[in-house]
Amino acid sequence: MIIILAQSATDSDIDELVTNLKDRGYGVHLSKGIEKTIVGVIGAHDSMKPMLAEQLSSLDYVERVVPILKPYKVVSKEFHPDKTIIKVRGVDIGGQKVIVIAGPCSVEGEEQIMEVAQAVKDAGASILRGGAFKPSTSPYGFQGLGEDGLKMMDAAREATGLPIVTEVMDTRDVELVAKYADILQIGTRNMANFALLREVGGVKKPVMLKRGMSSTIEEWLQAAEYIANQGNYEIILCERGVRTFETMTRNTFDVSAIPLVQGLSHLPIIADPSHSTGMHALVAPISKAAIAAGADGLMIEVHPHPERALKDGPQSLTPTNFSILMTELGTIARAVGRYT
Ligand code: PEP
Ligand code: MN
């Protein structure tokens, strides 16, 4: 439930309320907006809620107590009406600037990642991506370079100053990946791996949660709730397309998910035009559509030699094409009151 405080509530009233709730064993999330202060209460058992609501409503400085009826609470907009801005090494995700994350599908070697990192930085990207632990549909496919790949990402960050995002697939690797990554990526195949979600929920690093390829928006937000529920509120949602009957594209990009999620949650949402289409020729138009629909950012695969890429070459942009796209995106961003 959420407690909306009266305008007259003082700091000491707020402290008293928070202490009272914590002493009773509830999780408390304070959200001080410009107009209203909202206190989110987590962990109240359904049978306790009516009594708790009655007790809290009797306080002078409480305007009203509202139950959150949705299956996700902490990540809902009711819980935290202002948009969440996630800060990663000086980059704000969820603010006015549309953030572009770019890099290869997989780290293939030091030379490759350094070359792409420099190229995407020069083109205006804010964050570098690169997989070291790769989910592969085939057990015979490239599985990534593991910790060596993480070290190469670290070196690329050192050289360019770009923060890095990389995927973690196994609860046993969370500590290792968190040692190197600025943002932990949960891939589409693991969106409903609840043990993994809980594990990254306990880490003090932002998490990028991709939408499950067959997941509804409500299931996706509940997956985010698993992370937030552990105390990690720094979650970036990533729409990466869902499976439909269409076979020409790798997935079907759900553009409506962007404004829908923004109406339901305070978390930033970005789009992945690479995995959602599987085709480099569609990356530019889908990137533009995502920004026009209000996305807070994009994640785009870039490879210096897509024809030689170990993974996802057909959907990767060359550095030149990425640079052209970056210029075009500025115009779209400005048309919707943002910038790149
Ligand atoms: C990726 O971004 O590297 C990836 C594997 O994406 P997805 O989980 O969306 O397939
Ligand atoms: Mn990929």
Side-chain angles (χ1 to χ4, degrees), residues 14-49:
I14 298 172
D15 287 348
E16 182 190 281
L17 178 65
V18 170
T19 310
N20 172 346
L21 292 164
K22 284 190 176 162
D23 285 350
R24 294 163 78 169
Y26 301 124
V28 180
H29 185 267
L30 188 63
S31 169
K32 281 190 180 173
I34 299 163
E35 305 225 324
K36 289 208 183 299
T37 296
I38 290 177
V39 181
V41 185
I42 316 152
H45 192 271
D46 280 351
S47 62
M48 293 295 290
K49 282 180 184 163

Side-chain angles (χ1 to χ4, degrees), residues 4 9 25 32 53 103 118 168 190 197 231 269 280 282 324 330-331 338:
I4 301 167
K32 281 190 180 173
Q118 199 54 57
V168 59
N190 275 315
L197 298 178
I269 176 165
H280 65 89
L282 297 188
I324 295 168
T331 316
R338 311 281 291 262

